[in-house]
Amino acid sequence: NAGVMQNPRHLVRRRGQEARLRCSPMKGHSHVYWYRQLPEEGLKFMVYLQKENIIDESGMPKERFSAEFPKEGPSILRIQQVVRGDSAAYFCASSPGGGSSYNEQFFGPGTRLTVL
Amino acid sequence: GDSVTQMEGPVTLSEEAFLTINCTYTATGYPSLFWYVQYPGEGLQLLLKATKADDKGSNKGFEATYRKETTSFHLEKGSVQVSDSAVYFCALSGFSSGSARQLTFGSGTQLTVLP
């Protein structure tokens, strides 16, 4: 039973390029979360998605960042025109969803983005 | 909004020493509380959790008790091993922003255990 998959594991971009990060949730999970970890800091929530819906994007920067979780395929976090400050580890987590008030989130190994 | 304050690191201990990592939180309502562990180059793994006041979460010799009166969830282990060296994150899950169940994390505590 594969866990949460993220690719690429490492991504290097030059300033102004686009970065595209992918996340495949665990089998049977319909909820995806993206978090960003800046150097020497904890993880910060970015966005919460269900299939074809953005539920909460309160942690997303207003410009250049977007996320989707299509009916088929992985969730994508897209960063346009990257800047050096976007260098960070980006983690995806998934949960099964459902009616419980608590749903454990399972984390992927992360994508480490370096902007030159 | 919700927040988690975690003991500053790094923490260095000798093998078999007692470990405490302090964690306090601010949240509305009744959040669920978690400790996650991150080994070098890897993602976060859930270590233990507690979903209501006075619950004790435990796993692999680690324990933490949900104390509503002191808004704390301190992590403890009686005898640490070299293999426990990692970064430990305290986190909470509330219901801010409508139905979202986002996790709010502390800044992490780096633990190094020396043989």
Side-chain angles (χ1 to χ4, degrees), chain A residues 43-60:
Chain A
L43 280 72
K44 297 285 194 289
F45 168 77
M46 299 181 75
V47 62
Y48 163 41
L49 310 103
Q50 295 178 23
K51 287 280 187 182
E52 299 184 282
N53 280 305
I54 296 174
I55 307 302
D56 180 358
E57 56 182 348
S58 59
M60 286 278 269

Side-chain angles (χ1 to χ4, degrees), chain A residues 20-40:
Chain A
R20 199 173 278 241
L21 289 61
R22 295 176 187 76
C23 169
S24 296
M26 286 181 70
K27 189 175 181 181
H29 287 192
S30 58
H31 296 223
V32 165
Y33 308 79
W34 285 92
Y35 294 85
R36 177 165 66 174
Q37 183 179 30
L38 294 169
E40 308 300 325

Side-chain angles (χ1 to χ4, degrees), chain A:
Chain A
N1 185 15
V4 178
M5 312 274 286
Q6 288 188 251
N7 67 80
R9 293 291 305 275
H10 300 275
L11 182 61
V12 178
R13 286 287 178 267
R14 296 191 180 281
R15 281 180 296 169
Q17 292 184 320
E18 178 180 285
R20 199 173 278 241
L21 289 61
R22 295 176 187 76
C23 169
S24 296
M26 286 181 70
K27 189 175 181 181
H29 287 192
S30 58
H31 296 223
V32 165
Y33 308 79
W34 285 92
Y35 294 85
R36 177 165 66 174
Q37 183 179 30
L38 294 169
E40 308 300 325
E41 293 188 16
L43 280 72
K44 297 285 194 289
F45 168 77
M46 299 181 75
V47 62
Y48 163 41
L49 310 103
Q50 295 178 23
K51 287 280 187 182
E52 299 184 282
N53 280 305
I54 296 174
I55 307 302
D56 180 358
E57 56 182 348
S58 59
M60 286 278 269
K62 293 287 185 277
E63 297 176 348
R64 302 187 296 109
F65 285 72
S66 62
E68 62 177 9
F69 189 16
K71 187 176 180 181
E72 302 290 337
S75 175
I76 307 285
L77 178 68
R78 184 176 173 216
I79 311 172
Q80 295 178 293
Q81 299 177 315
V82 296
V83 301
R84 290 221 173 102
D86 297 332
S87 295
Y90 292 82
F91 289 95
C92 168
S94 72
S95 69
S100 171
S101 62
Y102 156 68
N103 279 289
E104 179 180 341
Q105 294 182 24
F106 294 81
F107 282 79
T111 294
R112 279 152 182 83
L113 172 66
T114 301
V115 179
L116 301 177

Side-chain angles (χ1 to χ4, degrees), chain B:
Chain B
D2 296 347
S3 68
V4 176
T5 300
Q6 193 174 333
M7 175 177 165
E8 294 278 334
V11 174
T12 302
L13 296 173
S14 298
E15 204 165 23
E16 299 184 4
F18 184 85
L19 169 70
T20 300
I21 301 178
N22 290 338
C23 171
T24 58
Y25 68 90
T26 302
T28 54
Y30 302 93
S32 297
L33 301 175
F34 308 86
W35 277 100
Y36 280 84
V37 58
Q38 184 181 29
Y39 297 100
E42 298 185 11
L44 277 70
Q45 300 173 25
L46 180 65
L47 181 59
L48 53 83
K49 66 180 187 286
T51 57
K52 61 182 188 296
D54 300 326
D55 268 2
K56 177 186 281 189
S58 61
N59 185 26
K60 299 180 182 179
F62 290 90
E63 292 183 339
T65 301
Y66 188 161
R67 302 280 187 208
K68 193 171 188 304
E69 63 276 13
T70 54
T71 61
S72 65
F73 193 55
H74 304 322
L75 182 68
E76 296 182 337
K77 186 175 185 182
S79 176
V80 293
Q81 306 300 312
V82 172
S83 57
D84 294 327
S85 298
V87 181
Y88 292 81
F89 291 95
C90 184
L92 68 81
S93 173
F95 278 88
S96 60
S97 301
S99 62
R101 301 182 182 90
Q102 58 177 276
L103 289 168
T104 299
F105 285 89
S107 57
T109 300
Q110 171 76 55
L111 171 66
T112 301
V113 180
L114 303 175

